Amino acid sequence: MAAFHQRVFSGVQPTGNLHLGNYLGAIKRFVELQAQHECVYCVVDLHAITVWQEPEELTRNIREVTAAFIACGIDPKKHIVFNQSQVSGHAELAWVFNCIARLGWLNRMTQFKEKAGKDRENASVGLYAYPSLMAADILVYRATQVPVGEDQKQHLELCRDIAQKFNNDYGKRISDLGFGDAYFPLTEPLISGPATRVMSLRDGTKKMSKSEPSDNSRINLTDDADTIAQKFRKAKTDPLPLPSTIKEMEERPEADNLIGIYAALADKTAEDVLKEFGGAQFSKFKEALTELAVAKLGPIGAEMKRLTADPAHIDAVLADGSARARVIANQTMKDVGKIVGFVGSSS
Ligand code: AMP
Ligand code: TRP
């Protein structure tokens, strides 16, 4: 396949309660990738409204995710930070992809099944078509790599299927127009490290999530030191001391989760952490974990507060990012229009 310009893209929904899972599974990786890659990071407000959002709260949450990006170390001058609704190419390409993706493909999506629950008849059409919009987010920038948590793996496979089918269906047009043998890259997911799936602090078999009613199930990026300490103290564990080997950890989801969190925060492997704490009591380990989490998250929370106090500055960052994103997305939509055969797309 043709060689593609390397570009990283990822998105986070502005749906409140940004937590340690979002940080370790996604945002921390976004920050690291900046050194070697051209990155586009998006606050996906169009995705958020696939379930009902109070308008004032949505506005606040868009600014809060933007503040979190910046507070965690994303540089919006060197890279692109913006909100999805302001670049019309996302919704336009999503429509084209709705006509490429098959019902059978979307019917297999587990996130839809989980979010729609039993009352599927009453879920929005947007929630069902969500993965097609997600593919458009990525491919409107023809992004080659996407850092995400484990829960997004299936959506990224669908993104590749859509790219492949588009490249095949329009193969002749794509090559006749001089785009080579493929217009869209088969995007690679970047899912790695010790915390690609951070679990609830109350139940090691459930994902840490923004929408879980119990706030004690997650560490929020804006939690203060006392709250972090209290939540880790209350975190569910089993009665045994910490395991000493990865094998022993496998049957112990809560231990596995806390060790993974420690490893990710300390930039170590789970093996390293077990070497240090294997055989120790949970109470001792939880103290070390709290100290580490407060040291890493405290400055982020403080910076988020400082940034959200000045919404005009955040809005200016988003406006600037949107303008730069639009340049790339508009070019893609021109190319796609030509490939598909729309009149008016050639100028
Ligand atoms: P969302 O909050 O659904 O918009 O997710 C934003 C990013 O955080 C995505 O890349 C998710 O895969 C990642 N993420 C969400 N929850 C977790 C979790 N519990 N563990 C690891 N990554 C997560
Ligand atoms: N679906 C992702 C989530 O819920 C958010 C998202 C939307 C995304 N578009 C994206 C992630 C494109 C990566 C790339 O977490």
Side-chain angles (χ1 to χ4, degrees):
M1 208 206 283
F4 283 92
H5 175 83
Q6 298 289 298
R7 186 177 282 138
V8 168
F9 179 92
S10 198
V12 174
Q13 297 195 60
T15 41
N17 294 326
L18 275 175
H19 54 71
L20 193 56
N22 295 129
Y23 178 63
L24 296 177
I27 305 173
K28 185 167 183 284
R29 312 292 316 285
F30 299 179
V31 175
E32 293 158 1
L33 284 160
Q34 295 180 108
Q36 306 283 347
H37 297 81
E38 177 191 324
C39 304
V40 182
Y41 295 130
C42 184
V43 184
V44 290
D45 45 12
L46 296 176
H47 276 98
I49 62 164
T50 55
V51 297
W52 171 251
Q53 305 295 325
E54 288 296 337
E56 287 89 8
E57 215 170 298
L58 179 64
T59 303
R60 207 171 333 110
N61 286 334
I62 293 169
R63 291 182 180 135
E64 184 171 283
V65 174
T66 311
F69 281 174
I70 302 170
C72 290
I74 291 169
D75 181 345
K77 290 209 173 73
K78 290 209 183 100
H79 300 273
I80 295 180
V81 172
F82 74 107
N83 57 323
Q84 186 185 26
S85 59
Q86 300 310 299
V87 179
S88 60
H90 292 248
E92 291 167 16
L93 188 58
W95 182 259
V96 175
F97 286 172
N98 280 340
C99 304
I100 297 282
R102 306 289 94 182
L103 279 179
W105 301 0
L106 288 172
N107 285 339
R108 285 197 287 275
M109 296 295 116
T110 53
Q111 183 172 300
F112 174 73
K113 290 181 199 164
E114 279 163 22
K115 285 202 178 173
K118 287 207 172 66
D119 192 11
R120 205 175 287 189
E121 292 286 305
N122 200 30
S124 75
V125 175
L127 189 65
Y128 183 74
Y130 177 115
S132 176
L133 176 60
M134 179 162 161
D137 298 338
I138 297 166
L139 294 175
V140 85
Y141 303 98
R142 300 209 279 169
T144 47
Q145 285 121 308
V146 175
V148 278
E150 168 74 32
D151 60 342
Q152 296 302 312
K153 193 169 171 214
Q154 194 184 34
H155 289 158
L156 286 175
E157 281 159 11
L158 186 87
C159 175
R160 291 165 69 97
D161 290 342
I162 290 176
Q164 182 120 49
K165 184 160 160 51
F166 182 94
N167 289 339
N168 287 343
D169 289 357
Y170 293 105
K172 185 166 178 326
R173 287 286 282 200
I174 289 170
S175 82
D176 287 352
L177 287 164
F179 294 117
D181 59 0
Y183 183 72
F184 288 118
L186 301 185
T187 307
E188 196 196 321
L190 302 177
I191 306 172
S192 64
T196 57
R197 189 174 173 81
V198 176
M199 309 309 275
S200 156
L201 299 182
R202 309 298 287 162
D203 178 352
T205 63
K206 269 171 59 185
K207 199 176 70 168
M208 184 177 285
S209 126
K210 288 171 176 165
S211 54
E212 164 66 41
S214 162
D215 199 52
N216 281 330
S217 69
R218 66 182 158 259
I219 304 285
N220 300 309
L221 292 188
T222 47
D223 282 346
D224 60 24
D226 288 345
T227 310
I228 294 175
Q230 201 186 62
K231 286 179 176 176
F232 276 132
R233 217 177 299 123
K234 284 195 185 149
K236 187 174 170 206
T237 52
D238 54 39
L240 301 172
L242 261 72
S244 299
T245 63
I246 298 284
K247 185 99 196 81
E248 279 174 60
M249 199 167 75
E250 273 164 15
E251 308 284 295
R252 300 174 59 187
E254 284 83 16
D256 187 342
N257 189 38
L258 295 181
I259 290 162
I261 291 173
Y262 189 101
L265 283 171
D267 289 311
K268 290 182 174 167
T269 63
E271 283 90 344
D272 290 337
V273 179
L274 290 181
K275 256 184 228 143
E276 203 176 331
F277 291 99
Q281 294 302 318
F282 267 106
S283 53
K284 179 166 167 268
F285 177 67
K286 281 177 166 183
E287 276 170 27
L289 178 58
T290 299
E291 199 180 312
L292 177 63
V294 168
K296 298 282 176 179
L297 301 183
I300 294 175
E303 183 63 3
M304 279 174 70
K305 274 201 194 99
R306 194 184 71 77
L307 288 163
T308 45
D310 183 3
H313 171 69
I314 293 191
D315 295 2
V317 167
L318 291 173
D320 173 63
S322 299
R324 289 188 286 141
R326 222 172 273 134
V327 173
I328 308 172
N330 286 352
Q331 183 59 53
T332 303
M333 289 322 293
K334 254 188 205 166
D335 295 346
V336 168
K338 272 195 244 176
I339 292 167
V340 172
F342 294 148
V343 170
S345 294
S346 56
S347 56

